Amino acid sequence: MPELPEVETYIRELAPSLQGRRVLRARVYWPGVIAFPTAEEFETGLVGLRFTQFARRGKYMLLGLDDPRTLIVHLRMTGKLFLAPADTPPGKHEHVIFDLDGGESLLYQDPRKFGRMWLTPHPENVLAALGPEPLGPDFTAQYLHAKLAGRSACIKALLLDQHILAGVGNIYADEALYRARLHPGRAAGALHEEEVHRLCAAVQEVLRSAIDQRGSSLGLSNLQNYIRPGGEQGGYQEEHLVFRRTGQPCPHCGHPIERIVIAQRSSHFCPVCQPASGTLSQP
DNA sequence: ATAAGGCCCTGACCGC
DNA sequence: TGCGGTCAGGGCCTTA
């Protein structure tokens, strides 16, 4: 599942190979992936444009062009982008192909078909509702405490809410809550100031480490696996302490990691180190 | 405004 | 071997 560290890795690793390349042709095989404009306008609109800038906002990739329009890509669950020789025939799950100058094509592959792309002169409209960048100056314990105040929803659910902060998904929410020693089901508004401070620091630490490790590549199935644009795996899965470790011992206390469902998503945690309330152990 | 549930998708996995 | 059922999950939409 590409989250902030995986998308950041995509931007960093795609930029050198896409910089200055021109789109000769764009082919959309699954129109549903194009959120704006229509698939036809998307195909014709990209012809002749050159990639010039590469940025990330939350889990969105922003590919700047020598044009007022920006190509925005959200990989959602299983989206992948990679370069292949120009004559590579489209596979079953390749929904968009950008034929580039230089004899290569950029392929968008997405078995789940959840990912979306936009080609728009107003990227700010697509991104308008996003909360601050977790690693930017606006994401502070004070900010987070204010956003959580009065909220009865579980803290895990609000960590996943992109309006509150942009870029955290299921993996890094679980890992951050474990490191902050907070039960994922705690009512967000009931967190004490010191706990919010811990959480804020844990979110940033987990994301920074995951970026350093080029993201998390998970699972035996290639379905949900995040793979870097060059085909390599990330490394942060080796540092997961709770995510998808149900039944395995907590690295701190040895109690089996448990799994519960919060906001329709699995949450992994240690019931000893992350008590629902009361006294805390000290990992 | 907030919270909760449904929906989109399909490969993997399980039981029979 | 094959079949049907269930699960996962980000973001958006609907409902209360």
Side-chain angles (χ1 to χ4, degrees):
Chain A
M1 297 142 267
E3 305 180 19
L4 188 154
E6 290 77 22
V7 177
E8 179 69 25
T9 302
Y10 255 78
I11 284 295
R12 291 182 183 184
E13 299 191 350
L14 277 175
S17 42
L18 287 184
Q19 179 67 251
R21 303 284 288 276
R22 195 181 290 282
V23 178
L24 304 179
R25 186 163 68 133
R27 294 177 272 159
V28 177
Y29 294 99
W30 176 256
V33 75
I34 309 301
F36 182 88
T38 66
E40 292 75 17
E41 290 169 319
F42 183 90
E43 287 181 333
T44 57
L46 273 168
V47 173
L49 304 188
R50 205 182 277 276
F51 290 107
T52 58
Q53 290 180 296
F54 305 85
R56 177 195 58 75
R57 177 78 172 93
K59 303 175 197 173
Y60 292 80
M61 304 176 60
L62 307 176
L63 306 180
L65 302 154
D66 57 345
D67 187 88
R69 291 165 294 183
T70 299
L71 174 61
I72 305 178
V73 180
H74 195 303
L75 302 170
R76 293 273 182 100
M77 286 283 294
T78 53
K80 299 175 187 71
L81 281 172
F82 55 94
L83 286 164
D87 54 359
T88 304
K92 182 180 177 185
H93 300 305
E94 273 130 36
H95 308 311
V96 183
I97 296 182
F98 306 88
D99 297 314
L100 307 176
D101 58 8
E104 282 185 311
S105 298
L106 179 67
L107 276 60
Y108 175 72
Q109 181 191 78
D110 186 1
R112 284 281 197 274
K113 297 180 175 173
F114 276 14
R116 291 293 180 268
M117 296 185 190
W118 296 255
L119 179 64
T120 171
H122 299 292
E124 67 276 11
N125 292 349
V126 177
L127 309 172
L130 292 178
E133 284 292 319
L135 299 179
D138 296 336
F139 184 69
T140 62
Q142 189 177 29
Y143 163 84
L144 187 58
H145 195 247
K147 290 301 271 191
L148 302 182
R151 302 290 299 264
S152 63
C154 301
I155 181 58
K156 167 71 183 284
L158 295 194
L159 275 183
L160 297 176
D161 185 340
Q162 304 298 298
H163 303 95
I164 293 179
L165 70 165
V168 170
N170 215 29
I171 297 173
Y172 299 106
D174 279 6
E175 293 297 319
L177 285 165
Y178 174 78
R179 284 161 175 80
R181 310 191 302 277
L182 296 172
H183 190 288
R186 293 273 302 277
L191 296 186
H192 305 131
E193 193 172 347
E194 198 270 328
E195 293 174 322
V196 175
H197 202 276
R198 272 192 341 244
L199 179 57
C200 188
V203 165
Q204 294 176 327
E205 180 209 318
V206 163
L207 293 176
R208 283 203 186 93
S209 300
I211 290 172
D212 286 346
Q213 297 294 315
R214 310 275 191 271
S216 301
S217 293
L218 278 181
L220 302 173
S221 68
N222 53 19
L223 182 65
Q224 294 181 341
N225 239 355
Y226 147 81
I227 301 287
R228 288 157 53 196
E232 311 94 327
Q233 296 213 339
Y236 194 70
Q237 65 280 359
E238 305 298 331
E239 295 179 37
H240 290 182
L241 302 180
V242 289
F243 190 75
R244 291 199 184 160
R245 291 176 45 87
T246 309
Q248 297 181 51
C250 165
H252 176 246
C253 76
H255 193 281
I257 299 300
E258 292 185 7
R259 174 185 176 274
I260 58 175
V261 174
I262 291 175
Q264 284 87 250
R265 269 149 195 85
S266 36
S267 290
H268 313 78
F269 70 104
C270 171
V272 175
C273 297
Q274 299 166 269
S277 59
T279 56
L280 294 169
S281 65
Q282 301 292 321

